[in-house]
Amino acid sequence: MTEFFQSLGMSYEWAWFVATLAGILLIALPVMLAVAYIIYFDRKVIAAISLRRGPNVVGPFGLLQSFADGLKVFLQETIIPSGANKGLFLLAPIITFTVALLAWAVIPFGAEAVLANINVGLLYVLAISSLGVYGVVIAGWASNSKYPFFSAMRAAAQMISYEVSIGFVLVCVVIYAGTFNLNGIIEAQRGHGFGFVNAYGFNLLLFPMWVVFFISSLAETARAPFDLTEAESELVAGYQTEYSSMSFALFWLGEYANILLMCALNAILFWGGWLPPFEWEPLYMVPGIIWLFLKMFLTFFLFSWIWATVPRYRYDQLMRLGWKIFLPLSLLFVVMVSGWIMYTRVGL
Amino acid sequence: MQVFAFYLFAAIVIASGAFTILSRNPVHSVLWLILAFFNAAGLMVLVGAEFIAMLLVIVYVGAVAVLFLFVVMMLDIDFAELRAGFAKNLPLGVALALVFLAELVFGIGAWQAGGLDMAESGVSPGREGVSNIQAVGELLYSRYVFLFEAAGVILLVAMVGAILLTHRQRLGVRPQNVARQVSRRPEEAVRNTNPETGKGVSL
C-alpha cells in the first residue's frame, strides 16, 4: 500500500505513515463491525438451541439489534463508585479494548494482506493475549468492591493456568511449521495431508492438540463453560459489576474481539488460514479472506454451541483440567511431535 | 523515526521506573513496573532483538507481574509502618546505590579508556538472513547447552524445594475424588421413599 500512496506524490516516510494508518483502520473497523454481527449471531444460535426466537425486533430479522444496544449504552450515564480508584477504574476497560485490537496487527488475511508480517508473529500474539488479563485484574481491584475483586483473582489464576498449555500447543505447531511467522505457518500447511488437504487439524499428532487449544481458548477468553469470572450466580457480574455505559461496552467489545481473535488463531494454526481446504484449482477462485472468515465462523459456531449446551465448571475443576490434564498432555505431545519430526525429517 | 522512538521508550522506562519507587500505593508501583517492562521490550525491538522483546513481555509482563499484582493486591498495607521502615533502611539503600554507581562509573570509565574490546569477546553482529530465534537457538543448544540444561535443573530443584516446604499431608480431610464424582449415577445417589407422617427417613 505504501507504493500506492507514493504514486500520489508523497515522500516515502509520509506514504508509509499514511499506509500504516489506513491499514490499521482497514482492520480495526471491520473487526468492530464483525463483533457487532458476531454478537447477534451468538444470541441467535443460543436462542435457537434453547427454542427461543432471539433478537428479531430491531431491523429485518433483528439484524440491527447490536447497534441499538450500542446506542443505548452510549446514551447512558457513566457511574463511578465513590470508593473506586478513579484513574484505574476508567483505564481498565480501555486496556481490555486496546489489547483486544492490538493482536490483529499480525493476523494474515491473505498472502499479502497482513499489516505487520513479523517473524515472531505467534510470539507477539501470545505476548499481547497475556496482557488481556490486566484489564480484568485492574477493573476488579479499582472497583473497590468484593465481587469484582473475587472475579479479578479468578481471572488472573485462570488465564495464567491456560496460557501454559496454550504455549505448549503452539510449540507443537511451530515445530511442524518451522517458523513463528503466521504466514509461514499457513504456507507450511499447504498440501500437508497426502499433498491434498491444507490443514494441520487432520494430522493425528496435531488433532488432539487442536482439541486442547480449542478448550484452552474457551478458558482464555472466559467463555462458557469457563466463564467463572462473570459467574452471575456467584459473583453478580464479576469484574463488570460496577461498570456502566461506555466503560461497560468497551469490556463487552473487547471480550468479543478477543473471541474472534481466538477463532482466527484456531483457523490459522490448525485449519489452514486463508488457504482453501483442499488443493484443487477451482477452490482458489474464492478469495483467501473468505476461506479465513468461513473457518473463523465455524469455530465461533462451536463456541456458541458449547455456551448453549455445557453447564459452567466449578473453579477447582477448571484448575484441575488446566494443570493436571492439559499441561501433562500437551507436554507429552511436544515430546512426541518433536520425536516424530526428528525421525521423519532427520532420521535416526 | 528510530531516534524519536528510542527517546520515547527510554523516557517512559525511566519515568515509570521512578514512579515505581515513588508511588505510595504498592499496586500503583506494580503497574508502573509493568509499564517499564513493556517499554523495555520496545527498546529491545529497536535494537533488533525482537525475540528477547517478546519473551520479556510474555514472561515478565504476562506471568511474573501478574503474580506480583496478585500478591500485592491482597496485602493489607499500613502506610505509617511503611514510612518508619523507610527511615530505618535508608542507610543500607544509600550504600547499595553508591556501590551500583561506583560499578557503573568504573565500568563505563574502563570502556571509555579503551581497556575493553567488546567486539572480540563474543559479541558479534547478527548474520544476514538468519532470524533472531534461529541464532539464539543455534547458540543455546550448541555452545551453551550445558549452562542451559543446568539452568533448567536449578529451576526444577527450586520448584521441588518450594513444593516440599509448603506441602503438608493433613489427616482427617476428605479430598475430592473427581473420577468418583463424575461416574456417580442417579440410581446410586437418589432414593425414592414414602415415609409415614412423623417418622422421617433414616440416612
Side-chain angles (χ1 to χ4, degrees), chain A residues 79-86 142-144 242:
Chain A
I79 300 166
I80 301 174
S82 55
N85 194 321
K86 209 172 188 176
S143 296
N144 197 10
E242 307 290 345

Side-chain angles (χ1 to χ4, degrees), chain A residues 287-322:
Chain A
I289 195 163
I290 303 285
W291 287 119
L292 179 69
F293 282 167
L294 215 61
K295 289 164 183 174
M296 282 167 64
F297 201 64
L298 282 176
T299 318
F300 187 78
F301 176 70
L302 284 180
F303 271 61
S304 308
W305 191 1
I306 287 173
W307 175 311
T309 313
V310 184
R312 184 176 293 131
Y313 261 53
R314 232 168 41 206
Y315 198 70
D316 64 305
Q317 291 172 333
L318 176 86
M319 283 295 147
R320 180 174 168 274
L321 186 69

Side-chain angles (χ1 to χ4, degrees), chain A residues 16 85 88 119-120 123-124 126-127 130-131 133-134 137-138 141 149 153 156-157 160 163 180 314 316 320, chain B residues 25 27-28 31 34 38 50-51 54 57-58 61-63 65-67 69-70 73-74 131 133 176 178 181:
Chain A
W16 179 84
N85 194 321
L88 288 179
N119 64 4
V120 285
L123 284 176
Y124 173 82
L126 205 61
S130 69
L131 291 181
V133 66
Y134 283 111
V137 170
I138 292 173
W141 184 79
F149 188 65
M153 293 287 121
I160 288 183
E163 235 153 58
F180 274 100
R314 232 168 41 206
D316 64 305
R320 180 174 168 274
Chain B
N25 194 327
V27 174
H28 292 180
L31 292 174
I34 292 164
F38 202 71
E50 70 268 9
F51 180 61
M54 292 305 145
V57 175
I58 293 173
V61 182
V66 173
L67 292 180
L69 205 59
F70 200 96
M73 275 180 179
M74 292 206 265
S131 76
I133 305 168
Q176 293 181 23
V178 177
Q181 287 178 351

Side-chain angles (χ1 to χ4, degrees), chain A residues 157-229:
Chain A
Q158 177 177 342
M159 290 191 187
I160 288 183
S161 313
Y162 279 85
E163 235 153 58
V164 181
S165 51
I166 284 188
F168 280 122
V169 172
L170 296 187
V171 167
C172 290
V173 174
V174 166
I175 288 174
Y176 252 101
T179 173
F180 274 100
N181 181 304
L182 287 175
N183 249 333
I185 290 174
I186 292 174
E187 279 298 336
Q189 295 179 50
R190 190 187 291 274
H192 179 71
F194 311 113
F196 182 62
V197 185
N198 293 333
Y200 274 159
F202 296 107
N203 186 320
L204 280 183
L205 274 173
L206 288 177
F207 180 75
M209 287 296 92
W210 173 69
V211 176
V212 170
F213 184 74
F214 180 74
I215 297 175
S216 298
S217 50
L218 285 175
E220 188 74 5
T221 52
R223 273 286 283 204
F226 305 115
D227 54 346
L228 274 303
T229 53

Side-chain angles (χ1 to χ4, degrees), chain B residues 75-156:
Chain B
L75 289 179
D76 188 20
I77 296 137
D78 186 1
F79 288 107
E81 207 171 296
L82 273 183
R83 253 173 244 136
F86 179 75
K88 199 180 76 188
N89 292 326
L90 189 62
L92 187 65
V94 170
L96 274 178
L98 282 178
V99 169
F100 279 128
L101 183 69
E103 283 181 352
L104 269 181
V105 167
F106 280 128
I108 295 175
W111 177 59
Q112 286 283 346
L116 296 171
D117 196 355
M118 295 277 198
E120 291 208 348
S121 57
V123 183
S124 61
R127 284 167 288 156
E128 260 326 291
V130 175
S131 76
N132 237 297
I133 305 168
Q134 211 177 337
V136 169
E138 277 171 11
L139 214 56
L140 210 56
Y141 287 98
S142 58
R143 193 164 148 191
Y144 297 113
V145 66
F146 289 114
L147 292 175
F148 183 62
E149 301 268 313
V153 172
I154 289 170
L155 282 176
L156 182 69

